[in-house]
Amino acid sequence: MDVIGSISKGKENTTIFCKHCKSILGEAASQETAKLYITELIILPAFEEISKIELDHRSQFVESFVARRLAELSDAKSIFRFSLEGLEGTVFALLWLLNSDTLLVGCFRNLTCDSISNVAGENTLNSSQQTSYEARSAVKVLYQPCVQNENGNVINIWENDIGVHSLTLPTQTCSEVLQILSSSTLSLPSSLRSMNSFQVAFLRL
């Protein structure tokens, strides 16, 4: 792995960047100690270009990591409300964990269930179109995006509440989490996409 560190400022730790894509990978506390962010590291074979499959793996990994982290913090500290924050302190979303024992049943292939339709009224499918249903464990969350200075009053209330735990991730990863949450919401029937002022989403474990 080729990395390069930024210039350290004062007593702050030196940030570690990827030498090729400039993504933040972690920080160096000293010449001998480095802290790498688990969400930024995926071990894959070395290829010149990142394929779509690898990008899908990245999205699934981030989704699973956030879901497991929310469940772990909830079990260990009885915390159910979280603020998704970037390293610089920007709040990207407010998350409310409803339950962590949800079971999702659906099509989790590249070909979605909705895209499989009958032709001329027949129920037969080409072998390339066939897909299977799967059951996966997931967590159910309510969330409010906090981009473009929205929900400022709610953010202030949550920041001053000791019952809210901050989930800090690199900025790019926070944006990915928002996209994952939004995609999950859009996959639900319109009548189930919101609850009060929050949006509903499922994160697969």
Side-chain angles (χ1 to χ4, degrees):
M1 176 177 63
D2 295 327
V3 298
I4 184 171
S6 68
I7 299 176
S8 180
K9 298 180 180 180
K11 296 182 179 180
E12 296 181 0
N13 293 339
T14 302
T15 302
I16 300 175
F17 296 93
C18 174
K19 188 175 181 179
H20 298 292
C21 67
K22 307 304 180 184
S23 298
I24 297 177
L25 301 180
E27 56 187 48
S30 67
Q31 292 183 348
E32 302 171 343
T33 305
K35 178 175 71 175
L36 300 178
Y37 305 135
I38 188 173
T39 57
E40 308 311 300
L41 301 176
I42 300 179
I43 307 301
L44 293 170
F47 294 108
E48 292 184 0
E49 296 182 2
I50 298 177
S51 67
K52 183 180 183 301
I53 293 177
E54 291 169 355
L55 292 176
D56 289 341
H57 287 169
R58 160 73 183 173
S59 178
Q60 293 170 15
F61 172 75
V62 171
E63 178 180 1
S64 176
F65 170 80
V66 172
R68 285 185 286 106
R69 188 61 179 153
L70 294 179
E72 290 169 359
L73 290 171
S74 175
D75 291 340
K77 300 183 178 182
S78 296
I79 293 175
F80 303 95
R81 290 182 296 161
F82 305 85
S83 60
L84 178 64
E85 301 180 11
L87 297 176
E88 73 288 347
T90 302
V91 178
F92 282 78
L94 304 177
L95 307 173
W96 198 323
L97 179 64
L98 288 188
N99 55 56
S100 56
D101 58 356
T102 301
L103 191 64
L104 291 182
V105 178
C107 302
F108 302 110
R109 304 296 191 209
N110 290 335
L111 183 63
T112 62
C113 294
D114 292 338
S115 66
I116 302 176
S117 57
N118 294 336
V119 179
E122 297 180 1
N123 293 323
T124 59
L125 294 173
N126 296 329
S127 58
S128 61
Q129 290 180 311
Q130 292 179 352
T131 187
S132 60
Y133 287 89
E134 297 179 29
R136 293 190 181 181
S137 298
V139 298
K140 182 179 182 180
V141 298
L142 303 180
Y143 71 98
Q144 275 192 10
C146 299
V147 294
Q148 300 178 350
N149 297 322
E150 296 179 356
N151 305 317
N153 293 334
V154 179
I155 292 176
N156 292 333
I157 293 174
W158 280 47
E159 285 181 336
N160 295 321
D161 191 328
I162 60 174
V164 177
H165 183 85
S166 61
L167 183 63
T168 305
L169 299 171
T171 299
Q172 181 60 35
T173 304
C174 289
S175 298
E176 291 180 59
V177 174
L178 279 180
Q179 293 176 358
I180 292 169
L181 290 169
S182 178
S183 296
S184 174
T185 301
L186 292 176
S187 71
L188 299 174
S190 56
S191 60
L192 301 177
R193 293 178 181 176
S194 63
M195 183 180 296
N196 296 327
S197 60
F198 286 81
Q199 298 181 56
V200 179
F202 293 89
L203 297 175
R204 290 167 291 179
L205 291 162

